Amino acid sequence: MGFGDLKSPAGLQVLNDYLADKSYIEGYVPSQADVAVFEAVSGPPPADLCHALRWYNHIKSYEKEKASLPGVKKALAKYGPANVEDTTGSGATDSKDDDDIDLFGSDDEEESEEAKRLREERLAQYESKKAKKPALVAKSSILLDVKPWDDETDMAKLEECVRSIQADGLVWGSSKLVPVGYGIKKLQIQCVVEDDKVGTDMLEERITAFEDYVQSMDVAAFNKI
């Protein structure tokens, strides 16, 4: 398993393809799996890798809360497609020996002064954030029906356009195509939003802007989390 070399264009392409139908590296919420892969990426993926860039920006928003995310960080080679070998130089860590630059790095004798300084700064930032105890963020789970113009609409491209929409407080989830008649299928896609940041009006405006593919958008289900 792995993503190849995440510091190379080829590795980022593997990551982008892997996230095409996923919001996170594992499961349905941010976890230490996302932290491990995020720290192996040298910077934001290019704009044409829309799935990887969407994931990168979302995980970056948890920069000060990484230690509180669930799960146990494993070796980078434990994540990703089964048929790809990890070759990222900095990815060989496991849950008992995490000596990368992170919030919970070890005191390895070979750790550089720069790595120690960065780790100490992030620990201080995390402690400050933890002390403030921010209020619980209200979130909702929304199921959207996105309808194409006709049976000749490229539904894969339509979904790619929808998932390319990025916003603070918006995370795309699973999707499927549902027949509506006469050979036409609609895209049914799940998302989780922070109520104070993302609303259905904004989603409808952004999605229907892809007018070459999208005829309309409806809210099929709306549930508070």
Side-chain angles (χ1 to χ4, degrees):
M1 297 177 70
F3 297 98
D5 184 358
L6 282 171
K7 300 187 184 302
S8 71
L12 291 176
Q13 182 65 59
V14 174
L15 176 63
N16 185 72
D17 294 343
Y18 181 77
L19 292 168
D21 60 351
K22 300 176 180 64
S23 295
Y24 303 102
I25 300 300
E26 289 185 343
Y28 300 97
V29 296
S31 69
Q32 293 303 319
D34 296 284
V35 174
V37 177
F38 178 86
E39 291 179 344
V41 177
S42 58
D48 60 322
L49 302 181
C50 59
H51 306 302
L53 181 59
R54 174 257 307 164
W55 168 84
Y56 181 92
N57 289 334
H58 182 58
I59 300 305
K60 186 177 181 181
S61 69
Y62 289 89
E63 182 73 20
K64 298 180 181 179
E65 305 163 65
K66 289 192 292 185
S68 64
L69 296 181
V72 177
K73 191 193 296 185
K74 297 180 289 187
L76 196 58
K78 298 293 185 181
Y79 308 113
N83 61 342
V84 179
E85 181 181 356
D86 172 56
T87 58
T88 306
S90 61
T93 64
D94 61 30
S95 60
K96 295 183 179 180
D97 185 20
D98 291 324
D99 54 9
D100 275 345
I101 304 171
D102 57 32
L103 290 174
F104 21 80
S106 68
D107 291 326
D108 195 318
E109 293 179 357
E110 297 181 359
E111 186 178 26
S112 69
E113 290 300 320
E114 179 68 8
K116 289 180 180 179
R117 184 184 66 79
L118 287 174
R119 179 166 56 83
E120 289 171 359
E121 286 182 0
R122 291 175 181 175
L123 280 170
Q125 291 172 355
Y126 168 68
E127 291 298 334
S128 176
K129 181 75 173 181
K130 183 178 178 181
K132 294 179 181 178
K133 294 183 179 179
L136 182 65
V137 177
K139 296 183 178 181
S140 298
S141 175
I142 306 175
L143 184 64
L144 302 175
D145 282 345
V146 184
K147 298 177 182 177
W149 288 105
D150 52 40
D151 60 342
E152 296 183 356
T153 300
D154 186 338
M155 296 303 292
K157 185 63 178 179
L158 185 150
E159 180 174 354
E160 182 180 343
C161 291
V162 171
R163 289 185 180 275
S164 70
I165 297 171
Q166 302 169 32
D168 186 22
L170 169 64
V171 180
W172 294 108
S174 60
S175 64
K176 64 180 179 179
L177 296 179
V178 180
V180 295
Y182 303 102
I184 301 174
K185 295 181 180 181
K186 65 182 178 181
L187 172 68
Q188 197 166 78
I189 186 167
Q190 191 90 23
C191 67
V192 174
V193 303
E194 293 184 20
D195 296 345
D196 291 340
K197 297 179 179 179
V198 179
T200 55
D201 289 343
M202 184 274 275
L203 289 173
E204 181 174 14
E205 179 182 352
R206 298 280 294 277
I207 290 174
T208 55
F210 296 107
E211 56 187 18
D212 289 343
Y213 302 98
V214 178
Q215 180 191 73
S216 64
M217 186 216 83
D218 298 307
V219 176
F222 190 106
N223 297 292
K224 295 290 185 180
I225 298 178

